[in-house]
Amino acid sequence: MLTHVAEGVLVHESEFIQSNCTLVQGRDGVLLIDPGITASEMAVIAEDLHRLGQPVVAGFSTHPDWDHVLWHPPARRGR
């Protein structure tokens, strides 16, 4: 679930560990900062962004660590 924290800024709190994924909305889509670690967390974030009509245009990791999987291509619906 995404939580609105400021204008154009959303946060997803990990259920796996105490970690947040930050999403900054821009003109062309979302900058995804430190995404979740599990496939299910990334699926939830992707579904939330799909509902908002916001594509991921860039990803950023604040530090090289095992708990940030950057992202994955969107699932193709209907295949």
Side-chain angles (χ1 to χ4, degrees):
M1 181 173 96
L2 296 175
T3 303
H4 182 263
V5 295
E7 185 176 343
V9 180
L10 304 163
V11 171
H12 171 84
E13 184 177 347
S14 173
E15 293 180 14
F16 177 66
I17 58 173
Q18 290 182 321
S19 176
N20 289 325
C21 168
T22 305
L23 303 96
V24 180
Q25 296 174 309
R27 181 180 63 234
D28 297 324
V30 171
L31 166 62
L32 190 63
I33 304 167
D34 293 338
I37 185 168
T38 67
S40 63
E41 283 182 326
M42 288 191 286
V44 167
I45 294 167
E47 186 61 34
D48 287 346
L49 289 173
H50 177 74
R51 273 193 301 262
L52 293 173
Q54 293 286 306
V56 175
V57 295
F60 182 78
S61 181
T62 58
H63 58 283
D65 205 351
W66 64 272
D67 65 336
H68 301 304
V69 179
L70 286 192
W71 197 234
H72 60 82
R76 304 263 187 230
R77 295 189 187 276
R79 283 191 175 182

